[in-house]
Amino acid sequence: MEVVLQSSPFFRGVEYLAIFCCGMAGGLAAIRKGYDVFTIIITAWLTALGGGIIRDVLLGAVPPVGISDRVSVLTALLAGCTVAIIHPEVDRLKWSMLTIDALALGLFAVNGASKGLLYNTSGMTAVFLGTFTAMGGGMIRDILLNEVPMVIRDRHWYIMPAVIGSMLTVPVWRWRARGMISERVAMALDVAIVIVVVLLRLGSVRFDWQLPRAVPR
Amino acid sequence: MEVVLQSSPFFRGVEYLAIFCCGMAGGLAAIRKGYDVFTIIITAWLTALGGGIIRDVLLGAVPPVGISDRVSVLTALLAGCTVAIIHPEVDRLKWSMLTIDALALGLFAVNGASKGLLYNTSGMTAVFLGTFTAMGGGMIRDILLNEVPMVIRDRHWYIMPAVIGSMLTVPVWRWRARGMISERVAMALDVAIVIVVVLLRLGSVRFDWQLPRAVPR
Amino acid sequence: MEVVLQSSPFFRGVEYLAIFCCGMAGGLAAIRKGYDVFTIIITAWLTALGGGIIRDVLLGAVPPVGISDRVSVLTALLAGCTVAIIHPEVDRLKWSMLTIDALALGLFAVNGASKGLLYNTSGMTAVFLGTFTAMGGGMIRDILLNEVPMVIRDRHWYIMPAVIGSMLTVPVWRWRARGMISERVAMALDVAIVIVVVLLRLGSVRFDWQLPRAVPR
């Protein structure tokens, strides 16, 4: 579906939206710590594209998209600049940011898993790549700012929706590769997967769904 | 010796044991911080296989074994699940865990250095790769949980036995490659190296051997 | 200019000086935290060569120079040993260390960007690679020692001079590649870029130049 996702202007647009939103979320974290504009922009860029960089390094697709695709990079840098100016507004958008972040989670999971499959990895490897793409940026951001990464800290579902999204992407991609479904159906299914991820993530925050801890004794 | 190690069912078994034990140690660290089951499993997996992932990325052997070898991955995930259930028992096994961790240190050092040599790196590069394989997982785990990595924090010998083990692996591998020793002898020497690493690590903890600090003045 | 930089004994010498100084700065950070000799040496090595390792992994130039070039590795290890002995003297050299660190920043930026271009990356990718090479080592060191990386923490210009140095390297390299300037001129321009980076960095610390924070409201 990489091809499908990439070739469709709609999906390209949504992907850049995800990068932009991720970048804003990253920049905001740097702003809250009082860092300067340059650090804000770098943090925005790493948050938006770090996951894809990890994915590409693990796949051997170098140099990674995150430092070579002009539009992606400019989108991420623009997000950093934007948030440096309109941060009070962004800060107030708690639910919007959460939704946008969840959207990015889903899009990156589908995108990462598909790119893995395109490079002929096994389904399992593709699931890992999708998960890494979805979580990587936030992980790098939090490590840089010296916090326990949110993917670990967050009591709500964060990694799990990404894993589920990546898993669901594998059969869709295979059906399409074998010609069992048309491009249009594959695209619709990919959209559905993204929606599932978003709903799982938002539902978890809204209704305080939590995974069990280690068996207490 | 990679070939030897890989082709021997005995060594394969021991390697999976190392992954399993490393994974349990990693999961335990997440349990102690009160994280949920998913985080425990992810931490277990990264601790068990993170060193090998670094090794494979540095070698260009992508996608890394840590996300593509089914048995390794399942072993690591299983370790996470297991420790989430039997953690009180594992927690009590201080010396057993230490021994198992030391065993993993030795096995990963021998395995990492051998894999490097198999890819035609120089001896020096192989030593670095062996050391990274042995230390990488624990390093990633501690960075994720926002602690100073144990390899740095631990006052006892930790990196040094791994470096020594990796160094000893180089001549053994070369003798075998040149046909100077038989496969059986090479395997015996590899086992001896693992034992040396384990003894150095355990001896250091038991008898409180410490490396000197910077020259005080 | 990689070729120029590499083929010139003068530049090779300066590069090893940069590695040595970076290594001393890294070792010093470990000494201040009271770690043992082995940790000091490992920290020195990672600080000196970590940036180049990131650059080479992103470029697919594996195994990275940082684990395969004998002279670089020995220089870094020697820096760690040296600083473990003469740390009180090094500690007193505040401005010298700052200058040396700035020199390394400039050299690594020029060197990283040039190596990228040599591997046929776009100018943008080369700028990223130059920046990563310059910042990477310090970033890894601070993550290992569990601090907010200095590139983020430092209120003065740190990333920006590296980015500017990398950007300036791109046209110089291209002019040379197209035969528009001689090797001698290219080398002189590279030296000038390094000087610009050093002046920007030192000027920022000396005169307390700071970048603006996010727009306050």
Side-chain angles (χ1 to χ4, degrees), chain A residues 125 146 149 155 212-213 215 217, chain B residues 34 37 67 84 87 89 144 146:
Chain A
T125 307
N146 203 18
R155 298 276 171 216
R213 316 252 169 109
V215 180
R217 283 202 281 187
Chain B
V37 163
I67 63 170
H87 57 99
E89 283 75 18
L144 272 188
N146 203 19

Side-chain angles (χ1 to χ4, degrees), chain B residues 29 137-151 153, chain C residues 146:
Chain B
M139 233 158 77
I140 292 178
R141 176 197 60 205
D142 292 340
I143 288 172
L144 272 188
L145 301 179
N146 203 19
E147 292 184 354
V148 176
M150 207 176 86
V151 290
R153 202 175 1 123
Chain C
N146 201 21

Side-chain angles (χ1 to χ4, degrees), chain B residues 1 15-17 23 29 65 71 73 77 79 81-82 94 99 109 119 154 176 191 197 202:
Chain B
M1 295 309 92
E15 199 194 323
Y16 291 133
L17 182 68
V65 164
V71 186
V73 170
L77 297 182
C81 298
T82 308
K94 198 200 161 220
T99 313
Y119 275 72
D154 197 323
R176 175 66 191 126
V191 173
V197 174
L202 291 186

Side-chain angles (χ1 to χ4, degrees), chain C residues 51-80:
Chain C
I53 290 178
I54 295 179
R55 176 199 62 206
D56 290 348
V57 166
L58 293 180
L59 263 179
V62 289
V65 164
I67 63 170
S68 61
D69 181 48
R70 211 163 289 268
V71 185
S72 300
V73 170
L74 290 179
T75 307
L77 298 182
L78 186 67

Side-chain angles (χ1 to χ4, degrees), chain B residues 1-68:
Chain B
M1 295 309 92
E2 169 84 359
V3 184
V4 176
L5 282 172
Q6 298 292 328
S7 60
S8 145
F10 170 72
F11 268 103
R12 292 289 285 179
V14 177
E15 199 194 323
Y16 291 133
L17 182 68
I19 290 174
F20 190 79
C21 299
C22 245
M24 292 222 295
L28 201 59
I31 289 171
R32 285 197 185 128
K33 301 228 158 182
Y35 292 121
D36 66 43
V37 163
F38 223 87
T39 306
I40 294 166
I41 294 173
I42 293 275
T43 312
W45 166 71
L46 267 176
T47 310
L49 301 175
I53 289 177
I54 295 179
R55 176 200 62 205
D56 289 347
V57 165
L58 293 180
L59 262 179
V62 289
V65 164
I67 63 170
S68 61

Side-chain angles (χ1 to χ4, degrees), chain C residues 5-78:
Chain C
L5 282 172
Q6 299 291 329
S7 61
S8 145
F10 170 72
F11 267 103
R12 292 289 285 180
V14 176
E15 199 193 323
Y16 291 133
L17 181 69
I19 290 175
F20 190 79
C21 299
C22 244
M24 292 221 296
L28 200 59
I31 289 171
R32 286 200 183 123
K33 300 228 158 183
Y35 292 121
D36 67 42
V37 162
F38 222 88
T39 305
I40 293 166
I41 293 173
I42 293 276
T43 311
W45 167 70
L46 266 177
T47 310
L49 301 175
I53 290 178
I54 295 179
R55 176 199 62 206
D56 290 348
V57 166
L58 293 180
L59 263 179
V62 289
V65 164
I67 63 170
S68 61
D69 181 48
R70 211 163 289 268
V71 185
S72 300
V73 170
L74 290 179
T75 307
L77 298 182
L78 186 67

Side-chain angles (χ1 to χ4, degrees), chain C residues 82-162:
Chain C
T82 308
V83 82
I85 297 167
I86 64 161
H87 58 99
E89 283 76 17
V90 175
D91 224 355
R92 245 174 276 129
L93 304 169
K94 195 197 164 223
W95 274 95
S96 322
M97 278 308 284
L98 206 64
T99 313
I100 282 163
D101 196 65
L103 191 66
L105 196 72
L107 283 163
F108 281 146
V110 171
N111 176 282
S114 302
K115 183 155 184 181
L117 292 166
L118 196 73
Y119 275 73
N120 291 319
T121 66
S122 68
M124 188 186 74
T125 307
V127 170
F128 275 117
L129 292 170
T131 309
F132 270 127
T133 313
M135 307 183 327
M139 233 158 77
I140 293 178
R141 175 199 62 206
D142 292 340
I143 289 173
L144 272 188
L145 300 179
N146 201 21
E147 292 183 354
V148 177
M150 207 177 85
V151 291
I152 295 223
R153 203 175 357 123
D154 197 324
R155 299 274 171 215
H156 302 114
W157 299 356
Y158 196 105
I159 308 181
M160 208 181 60

